[in-house]
């Protein structure tokens, strides 16, 4: 193996060694580093061999230290998208033989970024340069990650299909220039249509809720929001960006020659697994148009409240509230916290031939048979307040207003509830107790609010541990103590406490998570809470009284789901940390 001179130096001027770099990374203590240096002198073995044999540090720390020592950039493959053009340029057999994985191709300077188990192997670099005709830029990567990526990424349906569709994309700059001048050329329309189909099909298979197609300076990246987290899965040559965007705009009925202003559109797509409605939004950015596609499943039905993660006292309080003939029930939380799904679940439960349900939404996400759903259209004069006013002349029993955004909508919702209607709506507040002061700030009268409000639900969604790769572990005693302090009498740990996490496998994209579940706090408006509303009390006072009356907070609900092995501490802290 070729050797490279260490580029790091210690403060005393002597060249740094691998052990020194590991100390600077906090992976090895100084005393152990001195032992390694002594063993190197005594045995003549290289430090890397001594450290490996003694299993002193993890493989990823060792790779990071080597990359720092020899000034070779380190890459975390888990955070890198797949570049079909790069996979097409480097055959699988070559990747397996040299334990390398192609990250990216730059057609302008004819170079390939390559993750290598041994980035100092000059003979491998020379061979791959001759094989591909590209200049190789080596990156250090964890060998286990490279092996996993060779196994999974070369065989992933998305990668295979997009790579096949892009086989005609040569790395020759002149041909790419020709493509830009004439849309025909060697990339035919059907190839682009194929790429779009594969991007959408992969989204359905991976349960993605959104697809982001984003232009960058040298490439176009494709990201999928899976279980609420954006994951970069694909990198497409910049030269194909305009063709890709035009194809999507044609499908969704947008103007393909208008690139200066945002546009909206929609279309249906039937994949191999399911049929989806897609809402498309385009946005002009510095490097070109960005497209975001929201996927709305046509089938699958609306989940039950228990399936969403509601249980115990919170579930009972909500069920009791929705069985009352009038009043306001609010669902609170930030964008993407599952409020609409909870509302649809409640509406489906109440939906019978004996009641008239009307909804006013922005937009209508799922169509429920037997429910009169209306899409707001401010341009045509149909805003939330206008629709709500019209609803009262439609003899409704149950009204759903997508969101309370202003005083007019809040006043109309209160009036509707006081005249014998059951009203559901959403509000953007962080917790249940914060909804009441927000409505008072909007101008709602305290005496009307106290008598009309029935129940407030606040929620977030967390990722569930993937059952197929779930493993138990012993948590840090400080974490156990923090959870015990938060839960109080709700949890009494006995013996050796075990929590769970996902190891990560190909099915869950190595994340260790699969699917999502809600964290809820349900605040019923009792007589005492009503008095606090009349006094215009703060959210903190309302929250304190609600907890005294037995309300389980969102964080407590999350920790109970951690104890039961449904989710992880990290997920709860990610969404419910105050």
């Amino acid at each position: 193996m070729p050797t490279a001179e260490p580029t790091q130096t210690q403060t005393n001027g002597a060249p740094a060694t691998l052990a020194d770099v590991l100390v600077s990374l906090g992976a090895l203590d100084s005393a152990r580093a001195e032992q390694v240096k002594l063993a190197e002198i005594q045995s003549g073995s290289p430090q890397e061999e001594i450290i490996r044999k003694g299993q002193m540090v993890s493989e990823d720390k060792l790779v990071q230290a080597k990359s720092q020592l020899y000034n070779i950039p380190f890459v975390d493959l888990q955070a890198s998208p797949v570049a079909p053009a790069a996979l097409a340029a480097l055959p699988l057999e070559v990747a397996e033989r040299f334990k390398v994985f192609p990250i990216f191709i730059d057609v302008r300077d004819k170079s390939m970024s390559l993750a290598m188990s041994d980035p100092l192997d000059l003979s491998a670099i020379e061979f791959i340069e001759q094989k591909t005709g590209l200049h190789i830029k080596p990156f250090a990567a964890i060998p286990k990650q490279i092996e996993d990526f060779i196994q999974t990424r070369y065989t992933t349906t998305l990668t295979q299909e997009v790579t096949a569709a892009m086989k005609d994309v040569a790395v020759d700059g002149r041909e790419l220039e020709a493509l830009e001048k004439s849309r025909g050329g060697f990339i035919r329309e059907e190839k682009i249509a194929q790429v779009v189909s594969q991007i959408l099909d992969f989204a359905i298979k991976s349960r993605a809720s959104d697809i982001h197609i984003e232009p960058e300076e040298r490439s176009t990246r494709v990201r999928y929001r899976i279980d609420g987290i954006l994951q970069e899965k694909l990198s497409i040559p910049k030269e194909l960006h305009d063709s890709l965007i035009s194809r999507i705009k044609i499908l969704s009925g947008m103007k393909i020659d208008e690139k200066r202003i945002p546009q909206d559109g929609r279309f249906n797509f039937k994949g191999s697994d399911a049929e989806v409605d897609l809402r498309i939004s385009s946005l002009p950015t510095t490097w070109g148009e960005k497209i975001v596609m929201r996927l709305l499943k046509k089938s699958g039905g609306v989940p039950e409240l228990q399936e969403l993660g509601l249980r115990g006292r919170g579930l009972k309080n909500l069920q009791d509230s929705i069985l009352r003939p009038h009043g306001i029930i609010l669902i609170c939380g930030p964008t993407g916290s599952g409020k609409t799904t909870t509302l649809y679940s409640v509406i489906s439960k109440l939906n019978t031939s004996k009641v008239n349900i009307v909804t006013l939404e922005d937009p209508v996400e799922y169509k429920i048979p037997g429910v009169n759903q209306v899409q707001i259209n401010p341009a045509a004069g149909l805003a939330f307040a206008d629709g709500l006013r019209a609803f009262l002349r439609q003899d409704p029993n149950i009204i759903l207003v997508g969101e309370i955004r202003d005083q007019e909508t809040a006043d109309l919702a209160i009036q509707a509830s006081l005249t014998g209607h059951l009203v559901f709506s959403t509000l953007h507040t962080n917790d249940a107790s914060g909804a009441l002061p927000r409505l008072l700030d909007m101008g709602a009268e305290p005496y009307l609010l106290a008598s009309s409000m029935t129940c407030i639900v606040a929620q977030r969604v967390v990722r569930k541990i993937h059952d197929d790769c779930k493993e138990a572990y012993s948590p840090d005693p400080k974490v156990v103590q923090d959870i015990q302090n938060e839960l109080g009498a709700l949890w009494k740990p006995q013996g050796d406490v075990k929590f769970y996490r996902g190891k990560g496998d190909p099915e869950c994209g190595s994340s260790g998570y699969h699917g999502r579940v809600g964290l809820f706090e349900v605040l019923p408006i009792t007589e005492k809470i009503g008095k606090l509303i009349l006094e215009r009390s703060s959210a903190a006072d309302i929250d304190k009284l609600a907890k005294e009356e037995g309300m389980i907070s969102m964080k407590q609900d999350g920790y109970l789901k951690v104890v039961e092995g449904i989710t992880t501490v990290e997920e709860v802290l990610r969404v419910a940390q105050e």
Side-chain angles (χ1 to χ4, degrees), residues 74-204:
F74 173 78
V75 63
D76 177 6
L77 287 180
Q78 293 289 3
S80 300
V82 173
L87 289 180
L90 188 74
L92 172 62
E93 310 77 61
V94 177
E96 287 178 331
R97 178 179 160 193
F98 293 108
K99 291 191 173 64
V100 297
F101 186 80
I103 309 167
F104 182 66
I105 278 187
D106 191 330
V107 292
R108 288 178 179 80
D109 61 7
K110 291 191 179 180
S111 68
M112 178 191 280
S113 300
L114 194 67
M116 304 182 69
S117 297
D118 182 7
L120 304 177
D121 187 348
L122 299 180
S123 58
I125 292 171
E126 191 180 338
F127 179 88
I128 294 166
E129 283 185 335
Q130 286 177 352
K131 180 82 178 168
T132 60
L134 299 167
H135 170 63
I136 297 300
K137 294 178 179 175
F139 285 75
I142 299 162
K144 178 75 174 74
Q145 273 192 3
I146 291 177
E147 284 173 32
D148 289 348
F149 268 57
I150 291 170
Q151 291 299 312
T152 58
R153 296 303 193 264
Y154 269 96
T155 55
T156 302
T157 309
L158 175 71
T159 310
Q160 269 186 327
E161 301 294 346
V162 175
T163 302
M166 288 169 53
K167 280 284 187 194
D168 294 343
V169 184
V171 182
D172 191 328
R174 283 170 306 190
E175 289 189 46
L176 289 165
E177 217 172 282
L179 166 67
E180 285 174 345
K181 285 177 187 167
S182 68
R183 278 304 157 90
F186 63 95
I187 289 286
R188 297 184 303 279
E189 255 331 290
E190 63 264 28
K191 292 288 182 188
I192 293 297
Q194 216 177 322
V195 172
V196 172
S197 292
Q198 294 308 328
I199 287 171
L200 293 172
D201 208 31
F202 183 80
I204 295 170

Side-chain angles (χ1 to χ4, degrees), residues 286-517:
T286 316
W287 299 113
E289 281 184 286
K290 173 182 172 175
I291 290 271
V292 174
M293 299 190 264
R294 164 65 57 90
L295 282 82
L296 303 168
K297 278 191 181 173
K298 283 191 156 188
S299 56
V302 177
E304 292 281 326
L305 290 171
Q306 291 91 326
E307 291 172 55
L308 297 176
L310 268 161
R311 69 260 178 93
R313 183 179 291 193
L315 176 62
K316 187 176 185 311
N317 284 335
L318 181 57
Q319 286 175 333
D320 290 346
S321 300
I322 66 178
L323 293 175
R324 291 175 64 173
H326 55 82
I328 298 178
I329 295 170
L330 283 182
I331 313 285
C332 305
T335 304
S337 60
K339 299 188 296 294
T340 306
T341 306
T342 303
L343 279 177
Y344 280 167
S345 181
V346 171
I347 290 294
S348 297
K349 191 175 175 65
L350 297 171
N351 185 18
T352 69
S353 58
K354 294 182 174 66
V355 290
N356 176 23
I357 303 175
V358 285
T359 77
L360 189 60
E361 303 171 59
D362 180 24
V364 174
E365 293 198 5
Y366 299 97
K367 293 180 177 67
I368 306 172
V371 175
N372 305 289
Q373 293 171 277
V374 179
Q375 164 98 37
I376 74 158
N377 186 354
L382 178 57
F384 280 124
D386 306 301
L388 192 44
R389 210 175 278 111
F391 278 5
L392 294 174
R393 296 191 288 274
Q394 285 283 319
D395 184 30
N397 300 99
I398 297 165
I399 297 171
L400 187 154
V401 186
E403 189 185 337
I404 293 178
R405 292 179 181 172
D406 51 38
Q407 183 181 353
E408 192 180 6
T409 312
D411 287 345
L412 282 164
I414 290 168
Q415 289 304 325
S417 73
L418 292 173
T419 52
H421 303 93
L422 185 56
V423 180
F424 293 94
S425 192
T426 69
L427 203 60
H428 285 280
T429 60
N430 290 328
D431 52 22
S433 54
L436 296 164
R438 174 71 57 84
L439 290 168
L440 291 170
D441 290 343
M442 278 184 188
E445 291 294 340
Y447 67 94
L448 293 175
L449 200 59
S451 52
S452 63
M453 197 64 65
T454 307
C455 181
I456 302 169
V457 179
Q459 68 177 82
R460 299 285 189 283
V461 281
V462 291
R463 293 179 291 171
K464 290 197 292 187
I465 298 168
H466 186 208
D467 285 333
D468 292 352
C469 64
K470 185 188 274 193
E471 64 173 2
Y473 73 99
S474 297
D476 187 305
K478 188 178 181 304
V479 173
V480 175
Q481 190 58 53
D482 286 347
I483 291 177
Q484 201 174 351
N485 292 343
E486 185 73 35
L487 292 178
L490 294 170
W491 181 50
K492 294 199 166 30
Q494 292 173 345
D496 187 22
V497 175
K498 293 283 184 195
F499 288 169
Y500 294 87
R501 61 188 170 203
K503 281 189 288 192
D505 61 16
E507 196 188 333
C508 64
S510 302
S511 67
Y513 298 101
H514 192 278
R516 291 192 287 175
V517 69

